[in-house]
Amino acid sequence: MITLNHYLWVSIILFSLGILCIVLRRNTLMVYMGLEMNLNAANLALVAFSSFSGRIEGQVLVVFIIAIAAAEVAVGLAILVALYRKIQSVGTDDVRVLRG
Amino acid sequence: MWGQETLFWICSIALIACALLVVFSPSTVSSAMFLILGFFFLAGLYMLLHAFFLGVVQILVYAGAVMVLFLFVIMLLDPKIIRRWWFKNAAIIGGPLLVAALLVQVAHILRTAPWHITVDAQPLTGTLIEIVRPLFTTYLLPLEVTGLILMVAAIGVVVLGRRDAP
């Protein structure tokens, strides 16, 4: 019998791997991919809660999250490309313009 | 015929394996490919939860649009620069420690929390009208604002992508 906890475990493991991706990799593209994994883990938890409690609101929230995530990725990658034009790198350690 | 349990285990184990490969794959392109594959399995989990619309949206928006954008940007940048096996030295100890702390705490919560959810609640049927009706009645204003945000994002991307970007 698959319970709510099974889905939440999958969600939290996916979230942890997303955090690991953000912290460990030195590549801004990989950081974005880790962010996507985090958002998807949250979506999975919301859908699981929604489905197991019989309320649709969780799934409605997921629709909004997916729309905002798409906008966020578009803007983020545009910033990345603009940054690459300036400093010819996507490493997280090479971005020091904002450092005071 | 496979039961739902078998499908759940297949989808979740494959999803986690894909996520691991995303984190530890040396090449950015293969990381993106594994993330696409993982999103397919995540869509499978949504379908198992009777969220059919979200499963389809997951494949269309994430695997179809977002990850193609990722691959496009990877292609645009210099592969010599992004293909390096880049791990932060300082984070090799700290990162797993942080994640382990998070996992321990959430595991405790999951073991002890009494979810106030009746198992035999009115089950969702998974039809499209079920999810679209609140979108266009109760949540109409957030929906419109989301549309506005998407438009602002599109204009912002155009501004950022100009040759003489600010």
Side-chain angles (χ1 to χ4, degrees):
Chain A
M1 183 63 193
I2 302 297
T3 58
L4 175 62
N5 265 13
H6 287 82
Y7 283 99
L8 292 181
W9 268 110
V10 176
S11 165
I12 188 59
I13 290 172
L14 189 62
F15 191 86
S16 310
L17 287 171
I19 297 242
L20 209 59
C21 196
I22 292 173
V23 176
L24 227 51
R25 301 296 295 257
R26 294 174 77 180
N27 183 335
T28 325
L29 278 163
M30 294 307 301
V31 172
Y32 272 116
M33 282 188 212
L35 276 174
E36 291 307 306
M37 275 153 74
N38 280 356
L39 284 169
N40 278 290
N43 283 353
L44 180 59
L46 278 171
V47 173
F49 275 124
S50 156
S51 178
F52 276 88
S53 68
R55 290 166 180 237
I56 199 69
E57 279 84 0
Q59 298 188 21
V60 173
L61 196 55
V62 169
V63 172
F64 289 127
I65 293 177
I66 288 177
I68 299 300
E72 172 251 328
V73 163
V75 174
L77 290 178
I79 291 175
L80 216 76
V81 171
L83 194 70
Y84 180 77
R85 274 209 214 112
K86 258 195 173 60
I87 62 172
Q88 271 76 47
S89 165
V90 288
T92 48
D93 294 346
D94 297 333
V95 187
R96 294 177 179 182
V97 185
L98 282 180
R99 191 177 282 176
Chain B
M1 201 60 201
W2 289 346
Q4 292 216 340
E5 270 185 50
T6 324
L7 282 175
F8 169 81
W9 288 116
I10 289 174
C11 279
S12 51
I13 289 171
L15 171 65
I16 290 166
C18 282
L20 274 172
L21 284 167
V22 169
V23 180
F24 293 107
S25 157
S27 134
T28 316
V29 176
S30 53
S31 280
M33 288 299 187
F34 280 123
L35 197 52
I36 294 176
L37 195 60
F39 284 162
F40 273 99
F41 289 116
L42 190 60
L45 282 181
Y46 286 171
M47 304 246 180
L48 277 176
L49 285 165
H50 293 276
F52 301 110
F53 175 66
L54 287 178
V56 172
V57 164
Q58 175 79 15
I59 290 175
L60 282 182
V61 174
Y62 269 112
V66 170
M67 292 317 292
V68 167
L69 196 64
F70 263 105
L71 287 172
F72 193 73
V73 169
I74 292 170
M75 198 181 70
L76 213 62
L77 305 179
D78 188 3
K80 276 205 299 293
I81 288 175
I82 54 182
R83 200 178 287 171
R84 260 183 272 166
W85 175 264
W86 267 357
F87 271 162
K88 275 185 208 156
N89 292 330
I92 282 180
I93 305 164
L97 217 63
L98 177 75
V99 168
L102 180 76
L103 269 177
V104 166
Q105 291 187 0
V106 176
H108 181 68
I109 292 170
L110 284 188
R111 256 189 282 108
T112 54
W115 304 118
H116 294 294
I117 286 170
T118 48
V119 180
D120 52 1
Q122 191 75 27
L124 297 173
T125 50
T127 51
L128 188 55
I129 196 157
E130 202 178 38
I131 188 168
V132 167
R133 196 189 297 277
L135 266 181
F136 282 100
T137 52
T138 321
Y139 300 99
L140 184 60
L141 182 65
L143 188 72
E144 297 293 335
V145 173
T146 307
L148 187 71
I149 288 175
L150 278 174
M151 195 183 70
V152 170
I155 295 172
V157 168
V158 170
V159 170
L160 280 170
R162 277 187 320 183
R163 185 57 61 180
D164 55 341

